[in-house]
Amino acid sequence: MHATIPALPDGIHYILKSGIQLGESTGNLGGMLNRMEGTMLAAGMAVMIKLGFGFLINPGLSESQAKKAQRFFENNFVIKDPNVPGGIRYYQGKILIRTRKPQDDMNVLIKFCPDPKALFIQTPFGQQLNPVAIVTTEALSEAHAEQIEHDPNKVDLVIRFKDTQAILGLAERPDADVVQLLLENLVQITGNFGHMFKFGAIGKNVQLAMKDIL
């Protein structure tokens, strides 16, 4: 469990810090801006998560970068399975991040390898990874998130924070422990817990890869 929440990529922390500044500057306008803060936070998280993974899996122009991208992809998303044609399948987890306050309207759906056929593209240099197909993200309306949350065909794991402030508070607590967050009632996790550990492992690898690059 410890690997799940602390491993949020640095890009998300940047968005969370921006959200804190937004909340401080507009928080006295009441419920309407609470919802605006939630929708903006969701949109920002969706963009940064997608861009972050796209950056790490972009083969770039150098052979060394292409090898790093391939290695990151294989370590996190390729699953050897003798029961499928070709012996390989891809991790296709679907993670929904939301809050317990409907008025926050803060919902982000993350899908890993949603279309295996789109994972590779042909280029003048041969077949390469398609960085925009590895992870897709979408900021959802409260009604849409509510509709799909309990559908196992559409969502595998739900990470539900107390409110937007609990998410924004992670920017001030980059090393927050998931157990501590659970004990503080700041987050609830439901669904297939196998995906929780996988999501945490991917997040940790993102964190390590970003440190290696930066």
Side-chain angles (χ1 to χ4, degrees):
M1 295 176 68
H2 286 59
T4 305
I5 299 299
L8 292 171
D10 292 341
I12 300 176
H13 288 156
Y14 175 80
I15 287 296
L16 296 180
K17 289 177 183 177
S18 299
I20 288 174
Q21 294 169 356
L22 174 67
E24 289 176 345
S25 63
T26 63
N28 60 349
L29 296 183
M32 182 180 71
L33 284 174
N34 285 341
R35 178 173 288 271
M36 183 183 296
E37 178 183 276
T39 56
M40 292 181 68
L41 176 60
M45 287 179 66
V47 169
M48 291 307 296
I49 292 170
K50 185 172 180 63
L51 288 178
F53 278 99
F55 174 73
L56 289 173
I57 302 175
N58 193 322
L61 298 177
S62 69
E63 184 178 352
S64 62
Q65 175 58 30
K67 288 181 178 179
K68 285 183 180 179
Q70 184 68 34
R71 185 164 57 249
F72 181 86
F73 173 73
E74 291 178 354
N75 288 342
N76 290 285
F77 302 110
V78 174
I79 301 172
K80 294 182 179 180
D81 186 346
N83 296 316
V84 300
I88 287 178
R89 59 185 177 89
Y90 303 98
Y91 175 64
Q92 294 184 280
K94 300 172 289 293
I95 315 297
L96 179 62
I97 300 175
R98 17 182 1 201
T99 73
R100 296 204 298 267
K101 288 178 62 178
Q103 59 266 37
D104 285 342
D105 204 10
M106 209 309 298
N107 308 281
V108 179
L109 179 63
I110 307 168
K111 295 181 181 180
F112 295 104
C113 305
D115 182 5
K117 294 180 180 179
L119 292 176
F120 297 92
I121 54 176
Q122 290 296 329
T123 75
F125 306 100
Q127 182 174 271
Q128 290 189 347
L129 286 169
N130 180 7
V132 302
I134 310 299
V135 178
T136 62
T137 59
E138 184 180 2
L140 306 179
S141 69
E142 191 70 19
H144 190 181
E146 193 71 24
Q147 180 183 7
I148 69 172
E149 177 177 352
H150 302 292
D151 186 341
N153 293 317
K154 295 183 178 180
V155 175
D156 297 304
L157 184 75
V158 180
I159 301 175
R160 188 189 290 272
F161 288 87
K162 179 181 178 181
D163 49 29
T164 55
Q165 291 303 313
I167 299 175
L168 297 172
L170 290 180
E172 303 297 321
R173 304 168 63 182
D175 298 320
D177 187 290
V178 66
V179 175
Q180 183 179 359
L181 295 175
L182 288 168
L183 291 174
E184 293 174 7
N185 199 31
L186 294 178
V187 67
Q188 294 176 337
I189 301 174
T190 57
N192 186 327
F193 274 68
H195 289 276
M196 182 185 74
F197 294 112
K198 180 63 175 176
F199 183 54
I202 291 173
K204 194 65 177 178
N205 288 336
V206 168
Q207 195 173 45
L208 293 173
M210 291 297 289
K211 286 181 179 180
D212 184 52
I213 292 173
L214 301 176

